[in-house]
Amino acid sequence: MGQPEITPEHLLYAATEAEPGRSIVAELSLDPDQVAEQMQDYLDIGEPSADDLADSTLSPAAKVALRAAQRQAAQSGSSYIGCSASPRSRTAWRRRRWSPR
């Protein structure tokens, strides 16, 4: 992976990997697979190691994006932001509890 920060581009890439993110990207008249491929190329994404996951932090821009999503979720009466993740992704999130501050 090689990037210590999770950026909005990483969040966009993650949105293309599972529902409902894929549908939301498609509603913007974008092809989720094409967006994923472009983000992979842009970010030079590879399979992250355990060290990459442990050392990753949220960039200031990613924090802003997640705060905005959190505010919008709260306005719609939900406390959940995110996509239903694969078991591997859920494991990664459990290893490190990220909180956008």
Side-chain angles (χ1 to χ4, degrees):
M1 190 166 180
Q3 297 185 353
E5 286 190 322
I6 296 168
T7 65
E9 293 83 3
H10 289 99
L11 299 176
L12 176 57
Y13 172 73
T16 65
E17 294 295 297
E19 292 298 339
R22 288 183 62 80
S23 296
I24 293 168
V25 170
E27 286 176 19
L28 297 171
S29 299
L30 299 171
D31 177 351
D33 294 327
Q34 189 175 37
V35 172
E37 185 177 317
Q38 290 172 347
M39 288 299 97
Q40 284 176 324
D41 291 344
Y42 177 78
L43 296 167
D44 192 26
I45 293 176
E47 188 66 30
S49 69
D51 289 339
D52 288 333
L53 293 173
D55 294 337
S56 293
T57 60
L58 290 170
S59 72
K63 290 177 184 179
V64 168
L66 290 173
R67 282 189 193 122
Q70 194 173 36
R71 277 192 302 274
Q72 188 169 358
Q75 288 174 352
S76 67
S78 177
S79 62
Y80 178 77
I81 59 170
C83 300
S84 55
S86 67
R88 190 178 85 194
S89 297
R90 285 193 297 265
T91 301
W93 281 98
R94 278 190 210 120
R95 282 189 201 139
R96 178 171 175 101
R97 296 188 201 303
W98 292 327
S99 63
R101 292 188 212 156

